[in-house]
Amino acid sequence: MNQEESLNVSSEKHLLAQELPGPEPRNQVGRRSFLRGLGIVGATLLPASAIMMRSAKAQEKTSGRLTKGDADLLRFAAWAEIVESDLWTQYNELGGATKPNDGAPNVGNPAYILALQNLDGDMPQYISDNTDDELSHAAFLNAYLISKGAEPVNLDRFRNLPGSRATGADPNKVHKRLTNLLRLNVDLSWYTRYRSEDNPDLGAFIKGPFNILNEPGIPLDDMDTPPDMAQPNPPTTRTSRRMQAIANTAGFHFAFIEQGGSSLYPTLALKATSEEVLRILLSIGGVEIDHFSLWHDKAGNAVSGSLARLTDPETGVTFPDLNAVTPAAALELTQTNKIQPEPCDFIRTDLPPCSVIRPTSTHLGGAVATVKSFTDDLLFAGQSNEFFEFAMQLATAADNARRQL
Ligand SMILES: [Fe+2]
Ligand SMILES: [Fe+2]
């Protein structure tokens, strides 16, 4: 055994020794016995009902079952991830580089892919990777819920919305989508919010820099946007301008969706009881923030340089030049390469500004707020009352969860 191997074996032994119960190291016995003693003394001072409640709670935690609150938090997270998976799968079929789970290359919609690549040459790969992440989040959360004897979330009965008929979209899913990307209202307040020193959690009202209303995020069909056309930057024909406006909308929509996840997960995490559930919420939430940061950068390329000032000939939506804003002081809230969060008010206005995710209040960033913002986005246009009732039921339960210590 060489020196490196012997080091590995000894560090493995060290890990095993930490995980397996055994005789306590001599220097810790005194302290632990002392704490145990305190526990007994403390317990004898409590009424019997309190002792029983305490031991029931301890059992709940150690037996591996989730508290109702933790299950509600994870169930809403699973709902959100299934929704994300559906919309990202649609984007991936048309604009991604690979099939989900890093499968064979995607044919996609060539003109849509070229329009997306006018924002960044790597867009197809980023779209595929984001899709994989969402599918993994949804599958993991449901599997974890099942492993804990809790009910998972299934939205298959709601997969009946129309999808794209354009080249690249799965022809078997024309009426089998859970989310609707054919006409979006994209809330752009996040763009200003992360450049502003104000925080909506402390009462600030923040508007986006322009409006994207009634604009598709994906090509609708091959008549509207021919799949094999050239897509120069800037686009020169009516149909290529239309396709570029659709790709630009996708770029902003990606960031809108992921900033929602960036706020949702810390909001949920604040209510978690089990350390493992907290770990899940923080770890998945971190990836949502990673996605948001990436898309924030790409969206800026639609409103700067040669692509800026494009108008969709069909809807009239215009993507302005956000680096050509006057007066100069106003540029602070629009400059396209300012993609990292500016410090803002946090907790209280008498404290110094702090660079943070915002909002993280239940009211603005929680589960019900997420359902509402996705609904305002028209992501669920055409869904049944049962869909909204089920979404609000899961969301209300998650928002009402409380940390139990
Ligand atoms: Fe996700
Ligand atoms: Fe996400």
Side-chain angles (χ1 to χ4, degrees), residues 184-193 205-214 249 251-260 292 359 364 369 372-378:
L184 296 168
N185 285 345
V186 187
D187 176 3
L188 301 177
S189 59
W190 55 269
Y191 188 94
T192 320
R193 189 193 321 138
F205 174 74
I206 297 174
K207 255 184 76 176
F210 65 104
N211 294 317
I212 299 178
L213 297 173
N214 296 317
T249 299
F252 277 96
H253 195 233
F254 298 165
F256 162 77
I257 292 292
E258 301 303 315
Q259 63 80 35
F292 167 48
L364 295 171
K372 281 186 179 163
S373 82
F374 284 7
T375 303
D376 291 344
D377 184 52
L378 304 183

Side-chain angles (χ1 to χ4, degrees), residues 197-245:
E197 294 171 358
D198 299 324
N199 186 338
D201 280 338
L202 294 174
F205 174 74
I206 297 174
K207 255 184 76 176
F210 65 104
N211 294 317
I212 299 178
L213 297 173
N214 296 317
E215 187 72 28
I218 50 176
L220 304 179
D221 56 55
D222 292 350
M223 288 289 286
D224 188 41
T225 49
D228 295 320
M229 66 180 157
Q231 203 58 50
N233 177 1
T236 49
T237 63
R238 181 186 162 87
T239 46
S240 63
R241 279 199 294 280
R242 167 77 165 152
M243 184 63 107
Q244 192 62 55

Side-chain angles (χ1 to χ4, degrees), residues 275-355:
E275 197 176 297
E276 197 166 70
V277 171
L278 181 62
R279 183 180 181 187
I280 292 168
L281 294 170
L282 291 179
S283 305
I284 294 180
V287 169
E288 302 297 331
I289 296 166
D290 181 31
H291 292 162
F292 167 48
S293 181
L294 173 85
W295 298 125
H296 193 165
D297 185 33
K298 304 311 156 204
N301 296 335
V303 283
S304 60
S306 51
L307 275 190
R309 297 194 169 96
L310 175 105
T311 297
D312 183 330
E314 200 64 37
T315 61
V317 168
T318 295
F319 295 84
D321 186 341
L322 290 186
N323 291 326
V325 171
T326 51
L331 185 61
E332 263 226 295
L333 295 178
T334 61
Q335 193 180 316
T336 58
N337 62 0
K338 264 196 150 198
I339 58 157
Q340 308 212 23
E342 286 296 309
C344 69
D345 292 335
F346 185 46
I347 309 288
R348 295 196 317 265
T349 48
D350 61 327
L351 294 167
C354 185
S355 186

Side-chain angles (χ1 to χ4, degrees), residues 81 84 88 130 133-134 137 257-258 261 265 287-288 291:
E81 296 294 348
E84 281 198 297
W88 275 109
N130 203 135
D133 288 356
E134 307 306 358
H137 291 165
I257 292 292
E258 301 303 315
Y265 274 94
V287 169
E288 302 297 331
H291 292 162

